[in-house]
Amino acid sequence: MALLSDSEQQQVRDAITHIERDTDAELVTVLAPQADDYTYIPLLWAGILSLLIPGAINYFPQWLGASELLIVQWACFAVLAIVFRLPAVTTRLIPRRVRFWRAANLARRQFLEQNLHHTQAGTGMLIFVSEAERYVEILVDRGISSRLDDETWQSIVSTFTQQVKQGQTLQGFLSCIEACGEHLREHVPATHERNELPNRLIVLE
């Protein structure tokens, strides 16, 4: 998984600037490598499997004595704990509901931390992506939600999610921003020139 380069982030910034010329909406984009480090998950799975697998294998043949079995279990735990820490493996050990819950929480924290709820006309809009969870969400403040309901964004989010799964995060951002812009130009048109929030792509570490 590779986050966007400086030149790719500039493309996202330019796309936001282009859209905001025609709308009062204040777009902020956030890209996170993952919503949580899930530190406990690899250790939990490694502990469970290192207890069960060696014991199950040794149950009938009983090749190993008690002390030898304990050493094998420790070795299994150490190896599995390392393997399960690999991001590609960790995400598959976590239930989908848990991954999406953590990503949704981070999206809402970012909405507040980026002051999207403090724009003059309540027209803040967050486009949030968490790559490890393959999670995309669009959050809007009252000035937009009063004119466009949540269903407006569902197909855009669905398309963007598929692009993230395919490793097309940059194209996903650009397509999403343009698609959102079409709705914003019509329903939240520009009434005066202002730029309350930065147009850059915020990349979390």
Side-chain angles (χ1 to χ4, degrees), residues 5 40 59 73-74 83 116-117 119 159 162 179:
S5 66
Y40 66 95
Y59 183 75
Q73 287 177 326
W74 285 350
V83 172
L116 283 156
H117 59 308
T119 59
T159 299
Q162 290 302 314

Side-chain angles (χ1 to χ4, degrees), residues 109-172:
R109 291 202 306 272
Q110 285 299 309
F111 191 90
L112 298 177
E113 289 179 15
Q114 304 305 327
N115 293 316
L116 283 156
H117 59 308
H118 282 160
T119 59
Q120 183 176 335
T123 54
M125 179 177 193
L126 173 68
I127 300 173
F128 173 86
V129 177
S130 184
E131 283 199 325
E133 287 78 10
R134 306 295 191 263
Y135 183 86
V136 176
E137 187 168 8
I138 294 175
L139 296 174
V140 298
D141 204 3
R142 64 189 183 282
I144 298 177
S145 62
S146 63
R147 308 179 200 185
L148 291 161
D149 59 32
D150 290 341
E151 293 182 0
T152 304
W153 319 114
Q154 288 179 358
S155 63
I156 299 174
V157 168
S158 178
T159 299
F160 196 173
T161 301
Q162 290 302 314
Q163 290 172 309
V164 172
K165 289 179 179 178
Q166 296 166 9
Q168 301 172 358
T169 303
L170 172 62
Q171 186 56 49

